[in-house]
Amino acid sequence: MLRHAIPPAARFSQIPNEILRHPHLNADAVRLLAWQLSLPDGVDEPLSRTAGRAGLGKLAFLRAKGQLKAAGYVHEWREQVERGRWRTRQLVSNVPLSPAEAALVRSPEAGTVRPGEATPADPATDGTPTDHAPGSTPGLPLPADPPLTNSTPAPAGTVPPTPAPPGGVPPGAVPPTADLPAAGGPMVRSVGRHPRKTSGGNPSHPPAPPEARRAVEDLTSLDPRLRMAPRAMFPELAGLAARWLAAGHSAESLRSAVARSLPARGEPVHHPGGLLRYILREVPPPSGPATPPPPVVATMRECTGARHVQPMLFRPLADEELCGPCRTEHPAPPARSLGATLARTALRTATGT
């Protein structure tokens, strides 16, 4: 995989990787949040208007906003204003906030602290003041810029920082006082924070074994309608396929189960990835090996006729004891004559003659 990326010199936004790789935010939710975070300061644009500008439909917008609210990036409040009217206030954050933290951002006067003071609303605060960029929303920390090294080119127009002398205050700088916070220091209680370590993968879908990944890739060749399954769903589908393989199913039985569950030929499949996920979600118990038919020799019988020099096996139709040639050579007497013979024998026995 080759990547070519040029750092923009202007008109760009800093979006945390936790948002771009969030396991519970779809593409519409990420686009909606990134669009809101890229708006200039002072722009009051509701989420619905941003969704319209981003080309999101009503259902897609509602689904994206629900995911952002569940993840803590969006908060809403209903409040009554003058003349009995109601309005909705929305808060968008680049870090997930709890309801209590969002309430502090909404009403900063609820509690202010000195820069660098630990707050009970953020248990992870270790007493180190969090710097904020000028013009940013108070209370929302921004990720620190990476240090400039010899291998990292500085952006155009950047003046290298002057190293601080051993005394701790650079020449020409105004030392901070207890009443005047440092430039860019937080004026209100800081809420929310970025994770200290960026996850290298998607934690919701651990890597599946290679056999499961190959089985999922083979499913796309099962039917032309499955070729449009999004590649982003393959890790999830591979995890479901791994459950089938762990239960004792083979890759061929998995293909057969998917083939049996597909719609009839000619019917469209609008969401092939969702269809595969629905089919693979339930893992049936594996069917045992088919019982082999009994061997042919087990159904055969040895002929009791005297014309055979060695044992002769034949397949009886009922309970006969002679093979076909022996029955032809020594046919059984007709049922009528046999009955007459038995009657005469019984009569002779009764009369004593």
Side-chain angles (χ1 to χ4, degrees):
M1 171 64 71
L2 301 177
R3 294 182 177 87
H4 177 67
I6 301 177
R11 301 179 64 85
F12 65 92
S13 302
Q14 292 185 356
I15 305 298
N17 289 337
E18 287 73 24
I19 295 178
L20 301 178
R21 304 172 183 174
H22 202 286
H24 303 300
L25 297 181
N26 60 11
D28 294 336
V30 173
R31 177 177 174 83
L32 183 62
L33 181 58
W35 194 302
Q36 276 282 330
L37 295 177
S38 66
L39 295 176
D41 295 336
V43 175
D44 187 7
E45 180 175 294
L47 290 174
S48 57
R49 186 177 304 171
T50 302
R53 296 174 57 189
L56 303 182
K58 182 178 180 180
L59 295 180
F61 164 63
L62 294 178
R63 187 182 301 109
K65 187 176 74 170
Q67 294 179 0
L68 292 175
K69 292 175 66 176
Y73 291 100
V74 171
H75 295 267
E76 289 184 332
W77 299 275
R78 292 276 294 171
E79 60 182 14
Q80 192 172 12
V81 296
E82 67 278 357
R83 304 180 65 178
R85 292 181 300 177
W86 290 85
R87 70 178 181 182
T88 301
R89 296 193 62 184
Q90 297 175 334
L91 169 65
V92 177
S93 171
N94 65 343
V95 292
L97 302 177
S98 65
E101 294 171 340
L104 288 177
V105 177
R106 179 191 178 191
S107 303
E109 64 276 3
T112 58
V113 296
R114 305 173 78 75
E117 181 181 358
T119 62
D122 188 4
T125 304
D126 55 0
T128 304
T130 305
D131 293 335
H132 296 263
S136 62
T137 304
L140 297 182
L142 296 177
D145 295 330
L148 298 178
T149 61
N150 295 334
S151 60
T152 304
T158 301
V159 179
T162 303
V169 180
V174 179
T177 61
D179 298 330
L180 180 62
M187 300 299 296
V188 297
R189 188 187 303 271
S190 298
V191 294
R193 66 186 181 92
H194 291 290
R196 298 183 182 273
K197 183 177 180 181
T198 301
S199 175
N202 193 340
S204 62
H205 306 304
E211 297 81 3
R213 294 198 296 267
R214 286 195 297 266
V216 171
E217 293 176 357
D218 292 342
L219 292 178
T220 57
S221 61
L222 188 62
D223 192 284
R225 295 171 294 180
L226 300 179
R227 296 175 183 172
M228 299 302 295
R231 304 285 301 184
M233 293 187 63
F234 277 25
E236 180 182 1
L237 297 177
L240 297 177
R243 294 173 51 196
W244 282 65
L245 299 180
H249 294 274
S250 62
E252 187 61 31
S253 64
L254 191 147
R255 286 175 55 92
S256 302
V258 173
R260 290 193 303 267
S261 303
L262 290 178
R265 293 285 182 177
E267 295 185 8
V269 176
H270 300 288
H271 303 284
L275 177 61
L276 290 176
R277 178 173 55 190
Y278 176 78
I279 296 174
L280 300 178
R281 185 175 301 170
E282 298 294 335
V283 182
S287 57
T291 303
V296 179
V297 180
T299 60
M300 302 184 71
R301 182 180 299 178
E302 183 179 355
C303 179
T304 58
R307 63 189 301 265
H308 303 293
V309 179
Q310 58 185 2
M312 174 65 181
L313 298 179
F314 71 99
R315 181 178 298 176
L317 300 178
D319 58 348
E320 60 270 16
E321 298 181 354
L322 297 177
C323 61
C326 291
R327 289 197 304 269
T328 305
E329 184 178 354
H330 304 285
R336 181 177 300 178
S337 59
L338 181 60
T341 303
L342 294 177
R344 286 195 298 268
T345 302
L347 183 60
R348 290 173 183 172
T349 303
T351 55
T353 58

